Amino acid sequence: KPEVKQRVQELRQLLQQASYAYYVLDSPIMEDAVYDQLYRELQSLETQYPELVTPDSPTQRVGEKPTTQFTSVRHNIPLYSLENAFNIDELQAWDQRWRRQVPPQTAAEYVCELKIDGNALALTYENGVLTRGATRGDGVVGEDITQNVRTIRSIPLRLNVETLHVTSLHVTSLLERVEVRGEAFLPLDVFKQINEERQKAGESLFANPRNAAAGTLRQLDSRIVAQRRLDFFAYTLHIPGMDDASIAGSQWEALALLQKMGFRVNPNKRLCTSLAEVAQYYQYWDTERLNLPYMTDGVVVKINSFKLQEQLGFTQKFPRWAIALKYAA
Ligand code: IVH
C-alpha cells in the first residue's frame, strides 16, 4: 500500500500545480482531458482507500452536505473598512492629512489596486493547509463559511510550500499559521445568469454582483456554491503575533508573496511614485474597468512601505495609510 499512498500524493501535487497554473497564473500547463483523467484516478483511489482522503485533496472542492447555520468567528485582527474619496482633490486632501503626521518631504510610494466589488474573506492556513474561511461580518465577528470557501477554485487548499524558500524564520512562521485576506466575487456573466434564473423562478433579483456574491457565500448548501464559479483576489497576509513588516517590507512585496504562495492576485496593480501617477491610474481604469469580467467600483490607494503604514496607524474605523478612490456609479 505504500505505492498507493505515494501515487495519491503524486496525483495531488500534479493536480495542484495544474490548477495553480490555470486559475492563478492564467497559463495552463495541462490539457483538460489529462487533468480529468488524473482527477478520476485520484478519486477512484480515494474511494478504494477512504483513509487516504485529506482535507487539502483537490477532490474536496465539490461541496458537502448542507448545514443548518454558520458559526460565528472572532477576528483576532479586525477587518477595517476604507475611507472614501470621490475625486482627485479628496485624494490630495488625504495625502496632505497623513503627511502632517510625518516629517516634511517624506518619500512615499503608493500601490494602486482595483477595488473589487465583492465580499472580504479571511482565510486561515495552519501548517500550509486551509483550515478556516470566514466572512468579514462587522469586522470583528464574522461567520465560518469554510465549506463554501473550499469550493472556490482559485483559493488554494494547500499553500505552494515547495516554491517558498524555507530558510528564514519568517517563512517558517508563515507556514505554521497565516491569515490571508482578499475579496471573493462573482464574475459578471455568472451574476447575470443567476439573476435570469431567479427571474424565471419568480424570485427577487440581486441588486449587484456584491449582493449576489454575499448570498452565494452564505448558501447553506455548499454543493450549490461549488457550481457558481466564485473567484477570489488576495490582497493582504498577516502572521498572528508578528508585525507585518517582517514578512514582507511593503504591500508590493506582499502581493508578490501571495502570488507565490498560490493565490490569485489582481494583475492590474501599479506601484506609483507620485500622486500624479495615481491620478493617471484612476483615470485610465475609469473607462477600462468596463471591459473587465468582474465589477470594480474604485481604486484602493495604499502607502507601500509597511514601516510607514505602521507609523500612521488606524483611526477608529480606517487605516490612515489607505483610501478608496471611488468612481461615480
Ligand atoms: S484593503 C485595511 N484592497 O473594500 C485594508 N480592500 O471599503 C482594507 N476591497 O472591506 C482592505 N478591493 O472588502 C482592500 N484591493 C483591495 C480591495 C478591498 C475591494 C473591499 C474590502 C473592504 C472594502 C473597504
Side-chain angles (χ1 to χ4, degrees):
K1 219 164 95 233
E3 336 58 90
V4 177
K5 195 169 176 187
Q6 203 190 330
R7 180 61 181 160
V8 163
Q9 273 162 359
E10 195 175 81
L11 287 166
R12 282 181 192 150
Q13 206 179 341
L14 285 169
L15 293 167
Q16 191 191 338
Q17 280 163 357
S19 71
Y20 177 65
Y22 185 90
Y23 290 103
V24 178
L25 303 178
D26 272 328
S27 112
I29 52 167
M30 195 182 276
E31 299 281 341
D32 288 0
V34 177
Y35 186 95
D36 292 343
Q37 193 188 344
L38 296 174
Y39 185 93
R40 279 195 301 269
E41 184 185 346
L42 176 60
Q43 227 175 6
S44 90
L45 287 173
E46 288 180 348
T47 313
Q48 270 181 74
Y49 305 96
E51 68 278 12
L52 294 182
V53 178
T54 56
D56 61 336
S57 175
T59 57
Q60 302 302 298
R61 290 189 180 275
V62 290
E64 304 161 31
K65 62 176 189 320
T67 180
T68 49
Q69 60 171 51
F70 300 117
T71 52
S72 300
V73 296
R74 201 176 178 79
H75 299 296
N76 291 328
I77 311 163
L79 283 87
Y80 286 87
S81 61
L82 294 168
E83 190 186 343
N84 289 327
F86 293 93
N87 52 52
I88 300 301
D89 283 350
E90 289 179 11
L91 174 74
Q92 273 163 344
W94 163 76
D95 199 63
Q96 284 163 8
R97 242 180 299 129
W98 72 257
R99 283 184 179 280
R100 269 181 236 128
Q101 278 183 258
V102 295
Q105 323 292 261
T106 294
E109 293 173 329
Y110 308 87
V111 175
C112 290
E113 295 168 26
L114 293 178
K115 187 168 189 296
I116 311 298
D117 200 18
N119 292 260
L121 294 183
L123 312 174
T124 308
Y125 289 81
E126 287 166 287
N127 302 315
V129 176
L130 175 71
T131 51
R132 192 179 85 180
T135 60
R136 173 177 187 275
D138 63 6
V140 178
V141 176
E143 283 178 310
D144 185 329
I145 55 158
T146 310
Q147 56 185 35
N148 289 344
V149 165
R150 306 174 65 77
T151 68
I152 304 176
R153 297 294 202 265
S154 50
I155 292 183
L157 297 178
R158 194 193 156 74
L159 301 179
N160 253 342
V161 205
E162 294 76 15
T163 61
L164 297 170
H165 305 285
V166 193
T167 45
S168 85
L169 180 70
H170 306 125
V171 173
T172 314
S173 332
L174 179 146
L175 292 176
E176 264 167 32
R177 192 184 166 88
V178 60
E179 189 174 307
V180 171
R181 293 174 176 184
E183 203 76 356
F185 63 96
L186 273 180
L188 283 170
D189 60 335
V190 183
F191 165 65
K192 287 186 190 122
Q193 184 195 323
I194 293 173
N195 263 353
E196 277 164 25
E197 285 165 13
R198 289 176 76 91
Q199 187 151 35
K200 273 190 210 136
E203 292 166 351
S204 65
L205 301 188
F206 286 121
N208 53 48
R210 179 162 39 87
N211 290 338
T216 305
L217 288 166
R218 299 189 71 260
Q219 256 285 340
L220 294 168
D221 188 344
S222 54
R223 291 168 302 191
I224 295 177
V225 184
Q227 292 159 13
R228 288 267 174 97
R229 288 205 286 124
L230 275 167
D231 207 335
F232 180 81
F233 285 126
Y235 47 66
T236 53
L237 77 165
H238 299 287
I239 298 178
M242 189 177 287
D243 79 72
D244 292 350
S246 53
I247 318 164
S250 65
Q251 173 63 10
W252 194 254
E253 283 172 27
L255 292 174
L257 178 59
L258 284 165
Q259 175 149 337
K260 257 201 191 165
M261 286 162 68
F263 293 92
R264 196 161 173 220
V265 169
N266 193 297
N268 307 313
K269 56 193 187 311
R270 182 162 163 193
L271 182 60
C272 299
T273 49
S274 69
L275 273 199
E277 266 181 74
V278 173
Q280 196 181 48
Y281 177 95
Y282 175 63
Q283 271 139 22
Y284 175 81
W285 284 105
D286 190 10
T287 47
E288 211 46 47
R289 71 200 172 99
L290 303 172
N291 299 323
L292 295 171
Y294 46 84
M295 178 90 112
T296 53
D297 59 346
V299 167
V300 183
V301 184
K302 303 174 183 173
I303 289 173
N304 190 31
S305 154
F306 283 163
K307 254 205 197 110
L308 192 46
Q309 287 190 8
E310 208 180 308
Q311 274 176 46
L312 295 173
F314 296 81
T315 67
Q316 279 294 315
K317 284 159 82 180
F318 312 123
R320 293 197 185 85
W321 43 262
I323 193 151
L325 183 53
K326 306 270 282 223
Y327 290 116

